[in-house]
Amino acid sequence: MQSVVRPESMARITTPELANAFIEDQVAKVRAQVGDKKVLLALSGGVDSSVVAALLIKAIGKQLVCVHVNHGLMRKGESEQVIEVFGKELDANLIYIDATDRYLELLKGVSDPETKRKIIGNEFIKIFDEEAKKLEGIEFLAQGTIYPDIIESKGVKAHHNVGGLPEDMKMDLVEPVALLFKDEVRVVSEALGLPHAMVYRQPFPGPGLGVRCLGAITRDRLEALREADAILREEFDKCGLAEKVWQYFIAIPDIKSVGVRNDVRYEGWPAIIRAVNTTDAMTATIEEIPYPVLHHITDRITHEVEGINRVLLDLTPKPIGTIEWE
Ligand code: XMP
């Protein structure tokens, strides 16, 4: 990460015109820095790495090699969107790695949250390193570092460093959005033509659904979580809550209770809804979801998702509850 200081004179990028000027400037800078060499980028599909990918594709086209590692803990449709947007629409040089089986095998039986995090983070580094070694002539590493990552040394990304890269990867860095705040990244992303859903994606932790599939992860509970989460997001989109709520998701604990379905006893997991508002993720308040919306979500999840027989609502602010359950 560069230790750069944002110049006092740098105006906030708030309009498409300012974004275009920034893009033109960065395209020229990247071309000057990189020349005819190749650049490697870990593309998660989050807005920061996506904006870097789009910018570099514009600047150097196929000299950029994007690696997307699907750890199997992505939300529904996320890896598919990366392939669609970058692989197809932007015609990027994209390496897609489906590491789902590898991750689930490593995580089998592991219930301690910190150990789970370590496994997920270390494996990412290993896979990325393996891929980098297969490639020839890579001289630069691009990163979606943004300004808050640099100034907030105790920030979310700094202490949750899953997705960090191999320390011994000795390559020069290309960090074209290192001076931007998040709102500016979004304006620039839209000017680059990235889809709205990608640009305004709610924060999603590096270890993904791994921190929401509580205890030891199993394929069936992970699948139930992914489907229930997709329903929650779909319903929040429909009723306008998606635009309003900072972060919302489902967590599924490793417990079962008794229920009935089609007149027979049906043991299932509870899906816990968490929807919070915050500005800095250090404290958070609870969004008051209207009851009709909650009833509808409950109805859909319990009828459409295999393995879930109850829906619960988490009313705990932070503190004392953290945002994630882990
Ligand atoms: P907690 O659970 O500590 O979460 O209240 C605060 C915020 O941090 C997000 N989070 C992460 N973000 N990588 C990230 O980039 C991570 O490993 C990670 N873990 C938690 C969490 O979703 C919430 O927004």
Side-chain angles (χ1 to χ4, degrees):
M1 194 184 287
Q2 297 168 2
S3 53
V4 283
V5 179
R6 187 176 161 114
E8 296 276 333
S9 58
M10 188 173 161
R12 271 310 245 268
I13 299 168
T14 50
T15 63
E17 293 71 32
L18 291 169
N20 285 329
F22 172 84
I23 292 163
E24 288 317 312
D25 183 47
Q26 284 304 321
V27 163
K29 283 196 173 123
V30 168
R31 283 182 184 152
Q33 183 188 3
V34 170
D36 60 0
K37 303 291 185 313
K38 284 191 194 152
V39 182
L40 186 63
L41 169 73
L43 176 60
S44 69
V47 63
D48 301 341
S49 62
S50 296
V51 73
V52 170
L55 229 167
L56 295 192
I57 289 165
K58 199 175 165 75
I60 55 168
K62 299 261 162 127
Q63 284 165 253
L64 172 73
V65 183
C66 301
V67 177
H68 176 71
V69 179
N70 177 0
H71 50 26
L73 306 167
M74 311 288 282
R75 288 175 294 189
K76 190 172 179 175
E78 274 180 337
S79 284
E80 290 81 354
Q81 189 181 41
V82 169
I83 294 170
E84 182 62 35
V85 172
F86 293 99
K88 298 197 182 140
E89 287 169 26
L90 296 178
D91 194 26
N93 203 345
L94 173 70
I95 299 174
Y96 170 70
I97 299 159
D98 185 354
T100 306
D101 291 343
R102 196 164 154 171
Y103 271 93
L104 293 188
E105 196 52 43
L106 280 171
L107 288 164
K108 210 177 243 175
V110 181
S111 56
D112 174 59
E114 282 309 311
T115 314
K116 282 165 73 179
R117 270 181 179 280
K118 277 202 191 98
I119 291 173
I120 298 168
N122 291 344
E123 196 58 15
F124 178 86
I125 292 175
K126 235 166 117 181
I127 293 175
F128 193 74
D129 206 22
E130 280 169 20
E131 287 310 311
K133 287 201 175 107
K134 285 186 208 158
L135 300 164
E136 275 175 21
I138 302 275
E139 296 199 10
F140 294 90
L141 185 68
Q143 292 198 145
T145 309
I146 66 170
Y147 202 49
D149 298 334
I150 297 170
I151 52 178
E152 294 163 17
S153 58
K154 286 197 168 54
V156 164
K157 264 196 201 158
H159 73 264
H160 296 302
N161 61 354
V162 169
L165 296 170
E167 272 175 18
D168 62 351
M169 231 178 218
K170 297 262 178 291
M171 286 189 264
D172 285 334
L173 294 180
V174 180
E175 297 183 308
V177 295
L179 285 182
L180 302 191
F181 288 100
K182 197 79 172 189
D183 51 342
E184 300 179 296
V185 169
R186 295 205 163 109
V187 181
V188 170
S189 300
E190 291 216 289
L192 282 164
L194 292 178
H196 187 84
M198 196 171 242
V199 175
Y200 286 91
R201 214 174 86 149
Q202 50 168 323
F204 186 56
L209 298 179
V211 296
R212 300 175 182 169
C213 191
L214 310 175
I217 298 170
T218 55
R219 234 172 242 271
D220 51 358
R221 194 154 50 89
L222 180 63
E223 198 43 42
L225 170 60
R226 194 177 344 260
E227 291 301 320
D229 182 69
I231 291 174
L232 181 76
R233 289 195 286 145
E234 207 179 299
E235 293 304 324
F236 267 40
D237 267 336
K238 274 194 218 152
C239 69
L241 281 169
E243 304 275 312
K244 184 173 171 237
V245 182
W246 196 81
Q247 197 173 19
Y248 48 95
F249 57 86
I250 300 280
I252 303 191
D254 188 13
I255 52 166
K256 280 191 171 177
S257 70
V258 176
V260 268
R261 187 184 265 181
N262 303 328
D263 294 331
V264 288
R265 187 182 157 104
Y266 180 70
E267 286 192 1
W269 304 289
I272 301 161
I273 299 175
R274 185 134 176 84
V276 299
N277 292 308
T278 176
T279 47
D280 58 7
M282 303 305 279
T283 63
T285 56
I286 298 304
E287 173 69 21
E288 298 202 359
I289 309 167
Y291 260 77
V293 175
L294 287 171
H295 284 303
H296 182 58
I297 292 170
T298 303
D299 197 54
R300 281 199 62 193
I301 292 179
T302 50
H303 285 87
E304 293 175 33
V305 184
E306 188 59 37
I308 296 184
N309 67 353
R310 289 171 200 267
V311 174
L312 316 180
L313 177 64
D314 184 355
L315 288 173
T316 323
K318 176 179 180 177
I320 195 164
T322 47
I323 294 177
E324 300 293 345
W325 270 59
E326 304 217 17

PDB file of all heavy atoms in Angstrom, residues 224 227-229 231-232 250 261 271 273 296-306 308-311:
ATOM      1  N   ALA A 224     -28.469 -23.275   1.875  1.00  0.00           N
ATOM      2  CA  ALA A 224     -29.698 -22.677   2.436  1.00  0.00           C
ATOM      3  C   ALA A 224     -29.462 -21.199   2.729  1.00  0.00           C
ATOM      4  O   ALA A 224     -30.309 -20.341   2.458  1.00  0.00           O
ATOM      5  CB  ALA A 224     -30.095 -23.428   3.716  1.00  0.00           C
ATOM      6  N   GLU A 227     -29.431 -19.115  -0.506  1.00  0.00           N
ATOM      7  CA  GLU A 227     -30.768 -18.933  -1.068  1.00  0.00           C
ATOM      8  C   GLU A 227     -31.594 -17.961  -0.220  1.00  0.00           C
ATOM      9  O   GLU A 227     -32.280 -17.094  -0.746  1.00  0.00           O
ATOM     10  CB  GLU A 227     -31.501 -20.288  -1.163  1.00  0.00           C
ATOM     11  CG  GLU A 227     -30.920 -21.223  -2.202  1.00  0.00           C
ATOM     12  CD  GLU A 227     -30.929 -20.634  -3.608  1.00  0.00           C
ATOM     13  OE1 GLU A 227     -31.906 -19.972  -3.984  1.00  0.00           O
ATOM     14  OE2 GLU A 227     -29.930 -20.833  -4.344  1.00  0.00           O
ATOM     15  N   ALA A 228     -31.521 -18.112   1.109  1.00  0.00           N
ATOM     16  CA  ALA A 228     -32.292 -17.223   1.987  1.00  0.00           C
ATOM     17  C   ALA A 228     -31.806 -15.787   1.852  1.00  0.00           C
ATOM     18  O   ALA A 228     -32.600 -14.836   1.814  1.00  0.00           O
ATOM     19  CB  ALA A 228     -32.165 -17.702   3.443  1.00  0.00           C
ATOM     20  N   ASP A 229     -30.499 -15.617   1.743  1.00  0.00           N
ATOM     21  CA  ASP A 229     -29.902 -14.290   1.583  1.00  0.00           C
ATOM     22  C   ASP A 229     -30.364 -13.654   0.263  1.00  0.00           C
ATOM     23  O   ASP A 229     -30.654 -12.459   0.202  1.00  0.00           O
ATOM     24  CB  ASP A 229     -28.374 -14.429   1.614  1.00  0.00           C
ATOM     25  CG  ASP A 229     -27.673 -13.091   1.506  1.00  0.00           C
ATOM     26  OD1 ASP A 229     -27.768 -12.320   2.475  1.00  0.00           O
ATOM     27  OD2 ASP A 229     -27.060 -12.813   0.462  1.00  0.00           O
ATOM     28  N   ILE A 231     -33.168 -14.215  -1.242  1.00  0.00           N
ATOM     29  CA  ILE A 231     -34.571 -13.813  -1.083  1.00  0.00           C
ATOM     30  C   ILE A 231     -34.646 -12.495  -0.315  1.00  0.00           C
ATOM     31  O   ILE A 231     -35.360 -11.568  -0.694  1.00  0.00           O
ATOM     32  CB  ILE A 231     -35.386 -14.919  -0.359  1.00  0.00           C
ATOM     33  CG1 ILE A 231     -35.529 -16.136  -1.285  1.00  0.00           C
ATOM     34  CG2 ILE A 231     -36.756 -14.398   0.089  1.00  0.00           C
ATOM     35  CD1 ILE A 231     -36.182 -17.352  -0.643  1.00  0.00           C
ATOM     36  N   LEU A 232     -33.869 -12.382   0.761  1.00  0.00           N
ATOM     37  CA  LEU A 232     -33.866 -11.140   1.544  1.00  0.00           C
ATOM     38  C   LEU A 232     -33.474  -9.960   0.651  1.00  0.00           C
ATOM     39  O   LEU A 232     -34.106  -8.900   0.667  1.00  0.00           O
ATOM     40  CB  LEU A 232     -32.878 -11.263   2.712  1.00  0.00           C
ATOM     41  CG  LEU A 232     -32.788 -10.035   3.618  1.00  0.00           C
ATOM     42  CD1 LEU A 232     -34.001  -9.951   4.552  1.00  0.00           C
ATOM     43  CD2 LEU A 232     -31.510 -10.042   4.463  1.00  0.00           C
ATOM     44  N   ILE A 250     -28.519 -12.543   6.096  1.00  0.00           N
ATOM     45  CA  ILE A 250     -29.027 -13.665   6.890  1.00  0.00           C
ATOM     46  C   ILE A 250     -27.835 -14.371   7.523  1.00  0.00           C
ATOM     47  O   ILE A 250     -26.781 -14.495   6.893  1.00  0.00           O
ATOM     48  CB  ILE A 250     -29.762 -14.679   5.972  1.00  0.00           C
ATOM     49  CG1 ILE A 250     -30.951 -14.050   5.244  1.00  0.00           C
ATOM     50  CG2 ILE A 250     -30.147 -15.949   6.730  1.00  0.00           C
ATOM     51  CD1 ILE A 250     -32.209 -13.911   6.039  1.00  0.00           C
ATOM     52  N   ARG A 261     -44.125 -29.542   8.198  1.00  0.00           N
ATOM     53  CA  ARG A 261     -44.326 -29.165   6.798  1.00  0.00           C
ATOM     54  C   ARG A 261     -45.140 -30.295   6.170  1.00  0.00           C
ATOM     55  O   ARG A 261     -44.803 -31.454   6.337  1.00  0.00           O
ATOM     56  CB  ARG A 261     -42.977 -28.984   6.092  1.00  0.00           C
ATOM     57  CG  ARG A 261     -43.125 -28.425   4.688  1.00  0.00           C
ATOM     58  CD  ARG A 261     -41.787 -28.353   3.983  1.00  0.00           C
ATOM     59  NE  ARG A 261     -41.182 -27.019   4.130  1.00  0.00           N
ATOM     60  CZ  ARG A 261     -40.005 -26.698   3.582  1.00  0.00           C
ATOM     61  NH1 ARG A 261     -39.326 -27.585   2.918  1.00  0.00           N
ATOM     62  NH2 ARG A 261     -39.517 -25.483   3.729  1.00  0.00           N
ATOM     63  N   ALA A 271     -33.347 -19.078  10.140  1.00  0.00           N
ATOM     64  CA  ALA A 271     -32.636 -18.030   9.389  1.00  0.00           C
ATOM     65  C   ALA A 271     -32.793 -16.739  10.194  1.00  0.00           C
ATOM     66  O   ALA A 271     -33.902 -16.369  10.559  1.00  0.00           O
ATOM     67  CB  ALA A 271     -33.240 -17.864   8.008  1.00  0.00           C
ATOM     68  N   ILE A 273     -32.470 -12.739  10.431  1.00  0.00           N
ATOM     69  CA  ILE A 273     -32.339 -11.531   9.613  1.00  0.00           C
ATOM     70  C   ILE A 273     -31.605 -10.464  10.428  1.00  0.00           C
ATOM     71  O   ILE A 273     -31.939 -10.212  11.584  1.00  0.00           O
ATOM     72  CB  ILE A 273     -33.728 -10.958   9.229  1.00  0.00           C
ATOM     73  CG1 ILE A 273     -34.523 -11.963   8.397  1.00  0.00           C
ATOM     74  CG2 ILE A 273     -33.582  -9.623   8.486  1.00  0.00           C
ATOM     75  CD1 ILE A 273     -35.945 -11.506   8.076  1.00  0.00           C
ATOM     76  N   HIS A 296     -43.759 -11.420   4.680  1.00  0.00           N
ATOM     77  CA  HIS A 296     -43.582 -11.910   3.313  1.00  0.00           C
ATOM     78  C   HIS A 296     -42.234 -12.636   3.156  1.00  0.00           C
ATOM     79  O   HIS A 296     -42.160 -13.716   2.560  1.00  0.00           O
ATOM     80  CB  HIS A 296     -43.692 -10.729   2.334  1.00  0.00           C
ATOM     81  CG  HIS A 296     -43.574 -11.128   0.907  1.00  0.00           C
ATOM     82  ND1 HIS A 296     -44.425 -12.049   0.314  1.00  0.00           N
ATOM     83  CD2 HIS A 296     -42.697 -10.767  -0.062  1.00  0.00           C
ATOM     84  CE1 HIS A 296     -44.072 -12.227  -0.944  1.00  0.00           C
ATOM     85  NE2 HIS A 296     -43.018 -11.467  -1.202  1.00  0.00           N
ATOM     86  N   ILE A 297     -41.190 -12.038   3.731  1.00  0.00           N
ATOM     87  CA  ILE A 297     -39.859 -12.658   3.659  1.00  0.00           C
ATOM     88  C   ILE A 297     -39.875 -14.020   4.371  1.00  0.00           C
ATOM     89  O   ILE A 297     -39.352 -15.020   3.875  1.00  0.00           O
ATOM     90  CB  ILE A 297     -38.778 -11.730   4.260  1.00  0.00           C
ATOM     91  CG1 ILE A 297     -38.598 -10.492   3.368  1.00  0.00           C
ATOM     92  CG2 ILE A 297     -37.443 -12.462   4.434  1.00  0.00           C
ATOM     93  CD1 ILE A 297     -37.742  -9.393   3.981  1.00  0.00           C
ATOM     94  N   THR A 298     -40.519 -14.037   5.550  1.00  0.00           N
ATOM     95  CA  THR A 298     -40.605 -15.288   6.319  1.00  0.00           C
ATOM     96  C   THR A 298     -41.321 -16.363   5.511  1.00  0.00           C
ATOM     97  O   THR A 298     -40.874 -17.517   5.426  1.00  0.00           O
ATOM     98  CB  THR A 298     -41.378 -15.046   7.643  1.00  0.00           C
ATOM     99  OG1 THR A 298     -40.718 -14.007   8.358  1.00  0.00           O
ATOM    100  CG2 THR A 298     -41.442 -16.303   8.496  1.00  0.00           C
ATOM    101  N   ASP A 299     -42.413 -15.952   4.898  1.00  0.00           N
ATOM    102  CA  ASP A 299     -43.192 -16.888   4.104  1.00  0.00           C
ATOM    103  C   ASP A 299     -42.348 -17.466   2.967  1.00  0.00           C
ATOM    104  O   ASP A 299     -42.304 -18.678   2.747  1.00  0.00           O
ATOM    105  CB  ASP A 299     -44.396 -16.119   3.537  1.00  0.00           C
ATOM    106  CG  ASP A 299     -45.449 -17.073   3.052  1.00  0.00           C
ATOM    107  OD1 ASP A 299     -45.848 -17.934   3.846  1.00  0.00           O
ATOM    108  OD2 ASP A 299     -45.840 -16.971   1.869  1.00  0.00           O
ATOM    109  N   ARG A 300     -41.655 -16.599   2.269  1.00  0.00           N
ATOM    110  CA  ARG A 300     -40.847 -17.057   1.132  1.00  0.00           C
ATOM    111  C   ARG A 300     -39.707 -17.970   1.594  1.00  0.00           C
ATOM    112  O   ARG A 300     -39.494 -19.034   1.041  1.00  0.00           O
ATOM    113  CB  ARG A 300     -40.279 -15.859   0.368  1.00  0.00           C
ATOM    114  CG  ARG A 300     -41.295 -15.221  -0.559  1.00  0.00           C
ATOM    115  CD  ARG A 300     -40.598 -14.370  -1.617  1.00  0.00           C
ATOM    116  NE  ARG A 300     -39.729 -15.167  -2.460  1.00  0.00           N
ATOM    117  CZ  ARG A 300     -38.819 -14.652  -3.293  1.00  0.00           C
ATOM    118  NH1 ARG A 300     -38.666 -13.343  -3.387  1.00  0.00           N
ATOM    119  NH2 ARG A 300     -38.072 -15.433  -4.034  1.00  0.00           N
ATOM    120  N   ILE A 301     -38.973 -17.520   2.607  1.00  0.00           N
ATOM    121  CA  ILE A 301     -37.808 -18.318   3.037  1.00  0.00           C
ATOM    122  C   ILE A 301     -38.240 -19.698   3.536  1.00  0.00           C
ATOM    123  O   ILE A 301     -37.666 -20.718   3.157  1.00  0.00           O
ATOM    124  CB  ILE A 301     -36.979 -17.571   4.114  1.00  0.00           C
ATOM    125  CG1 ILE A 301     -36.297 -16.346   3.484  1.00  0.00           C
ATOM    126  CG2 ILE A 301     -35.925 -18.491   4.742  1.00  0.00           C
ATOM    127  CD1 ILE A 301     -35.469 -15.507   4.447  1.00  0.00           C
ATOM    128  N   THR A 302     -39.290 -19.725   4.366  1.00  0.00           N
ATOM    129  CA  THR A 302     -39.680 -21.030   4.928  1.00  0.00           C
ATOM    130  C   THR A 302     -40.287 -21.960   3.866  1.00  0.00           C
ATOM    131  O   THR A 302     -40.243 -23.179   4.009  1.00  0.00           O
ATOM    132  CB  THR A 302     -40.670 -20.885   6.104  1.00  0.00           C
ATOM    133  OG1 THR A 302     -41.731 -20.023   5.690  1.00  0.00           O
ATOM    134  CG2 THR A 302     -39.995 -20.325   7.335  1.00  0.00           C
ATOM    135  N   HIS A 303     -40.862 -21.387   2.814  1.00  0.00           N
ATOM    136  CA  HIS A 303     -41.442 -22.245   1.775  1.00  0.00           C
ATOM    137  C   HIS A 303     -40.470 -22.580   0.645  1.00  0.00           C
ATOM    138  O   HIS A 303     -40.569 -23.609   0.027  1.00  0.00           O
ATOM    139  CB  HIS A 303     -42.712 -21.602   1.186  1.00  0.00           C
ATOM    140  CG  HIS A 303     -43.874 -21.706   2.111  1.00  0.00           C
ATOM    141  ND1 HIS A 303     -44.127 -20.775   3.090  1.00  0.00           N
ATOM    142  CD2 HIS A 303     -44.826 -22.657   2.237  1.00  0.00           C
ATOM    143  CE1 HIS A 303     -45.194 -21.140   3.779  1.00  0.00           C
ATOM    144  NE2 HIS A 303     -45.643 -22.278   3.282  1.00  0.00           N
ATOM    145  N   GLU A 304     -39.547 -21.649   0.386  1.00  0.00           N
ATOM    146  CA  GLU A 304     -38.694 -21.852  -0.800  1.00  0.00           C
ATOM    147  C   GLU A 304     -37.321 -22.437  -0.487  1.00  0.00           C
ATOM    148  O   GLU A 304     -36.662 -22.949  -1.385  1.00  0.00           O
ATOM    149  CB  GLU A 304     -38.501 -20.507  -1.535  1.00  0.00           C
ATOM    150  CG  GLU A 304     -39.788 -19.978  -2.153  1.00  0.00           C
ATOM    151  CD  GLU A 304     -39.611 -18.597  -2.773  1.00  0.00           C
ATOM    152  OE1 GLU A 304     -38.525 -18.289  -3.286  1.00  0.00           O
ATOM    153  OE2 GLU A 304     -40.575 -17.817  -2.710  1.00  0.00           O
ATOM    154  N   VAL A 305     -36.887 -22.312   0.760  1.00  0.00           N
ATOM    155  CA  VAL A 305     -35.515 -22.746   1.039  1.00  0.00           C
ATOM    156  C   VAL A 305     -35.494 -24.068   1.795  1.00  0.00           C
ATOM    157  O   VAL A 305     -36.023 -24.171   2.905  1.00  0.00           O
ATOM    158  CB  VAL A 305     -34.736 -21.674   1.835  1.00  0.00           C
ATOM    159  CG1 VAL A 305     -33.294 -22.111   2.033  1.00  0.00           C
ATOM    160  CG2 VAL A 305     -34.805 -20.333   1.137  1.00  0.00           C
ATOM    161  N   GLU A 306     -34.887 -25.041   1.175  1.00  0.00           N
ATOM    162  CA  GLU A 306     -34.758 -26.364   1.768  1.00  0.00           C
ATOM    163  C   GLU A 306     -33.946 -26.265   3.074  1.00  0.00           C
ATOM    164  O   GLU A 306     -32.865 -25.681   3.083  1.00  0.00           O
ATOM    165  CB  GLU A 306     -34.028 -27.252   0.742  1.00  0.00           C
ATOM    166  CG  GLU A 306     -33.952 -28.720   1.075  1.00  0.00           C
ATOM    167  CD  GLU A 306     -35.332 -29.341   1.237  1.00  0.00           C
ATOM    168  OE1 GLU A 306     -36.257 -28.959   0.492  1.00  0.00           O
ATOM    169  OE2 GLU A 306     -35.469 -30.197   2.140  1.00  0.00           O
ATOM    170  N   ILE A 308     -34.802 -24.772   6.012  1.00  0.00           N
ATOM    171  CA  ILE A 308     -35.090 -23.700   6.976  1.00  0.00           C
ATOM    172  C   ILE A 308     -36.560 -23.775   7.398  1.00  0.00           C
ATOM    173  O   ILE A 308     -37.451 -23.842   6.556  1.00  0.00           O
ATOM    174  CB  ILE A 308     -34.775 -22.312   6.370  1.00  0.00           C
ATOM    175  CG1 ILE A 308     -33.281 -22.221   6.089  1.00  0.00           C
ATOM    176  CG2 ILE A 308     -35.222 -21.197   7.316  1.00  0.00           C
ATOM    177  CD1 ILE A 308     -32.812 -20.900   5.588  1.00  0.00           C
ATOM    178  N   ASN A 309     -36.782 -23.778   8.706  1.00  0.00           N
ATOM    179  CA  ASN A 309     -38.171 -23.859   9.158  1.00  0.00           C
ATOM    180  C   ASN A 309     -38.598 -22.711  10.073  1.00  0.00           C
ATOM    181  O   ASN A 309     -39.712 -22.689  10.566  1.00  0.00           O
ATOM    182  CB  ASN A 309     -38.443 -25.223   9.828  1.00  0.00           C
ATOM    183  CG  ASN A 309     -37.668 -25.386  11.130  1.00  0.00           C
ATOM    184  OD1 ASN A 309     -36.835 -24.542  11.458  1.00  0.00           O
ATOM    185  ND2 ASN A 309     -37.927 -26.458  11.858  1.00  0.00           N
ATOM    186  N   ARG A 310     -37.704 -21.755  10.314  1.00  0.00           N
ATOM    187  CA  ARG A 310     -38.083 -20.567  11.096  1.00  0.00           C
ATOM    188  C   ARG A 310     -37.297 -19.374  10.610  1.00  0.00           C
ATOM    189  O   ARG A 310     -36.167 -19.519  10.124  1.00  0.00           O
ATOM    190  CB  ARG A 310     -37.749 -20.738  12.596  1.00  0.00           C
ATOM    191  CG  ARG A 310     -38.615 -21.720  13.318  1.00  0.00           C
ATOM    192  CD  ARG A 310     -38.076 -21.986  14.725  1.00  0.00           C
ATOM    193  NE  ARG A 310     -38.621 -23.250  15.190  1.00  0.00           N
ATOM    194  CZ  ARG A 310     -39.738 -23.362  15.905  1.00  0.00           C
ATOM    195  NH1 ARG A 310     -40.395 -22.291  16.285  1.00  0.00           N
ATOM    196  NH2 ARG A 310     -40.179 -24.551  16.267  1.00  0.00           N
ATOM    197  N   VAL A 311     -37.891 -18.167  10.797  1.00  0.00           N
ATOM    198  CA  VAL A 311     -37.162 -16.941  10.491  1.00  0.00           C
ATOM    199  C   VAL A 311     -37.198 -16.053  11.732  1.00  0.00           C
ATOM    200  O   VAL A 311     -38.255 -15.830  12.324  1.00  0.00           O
ATOM    201  CB  VAL A 311     -37.780 -16.208   9.274  1.00  0.00           C
ATOM    202  CG1 VAL A 311     -37.096 -14.870   9.056  1.00  0.00           C
ATOM    203  CG2 VAL A 311     -37.664 -17.064   8.020  1.00  0.00           C
TER     204      VAL A 311
END
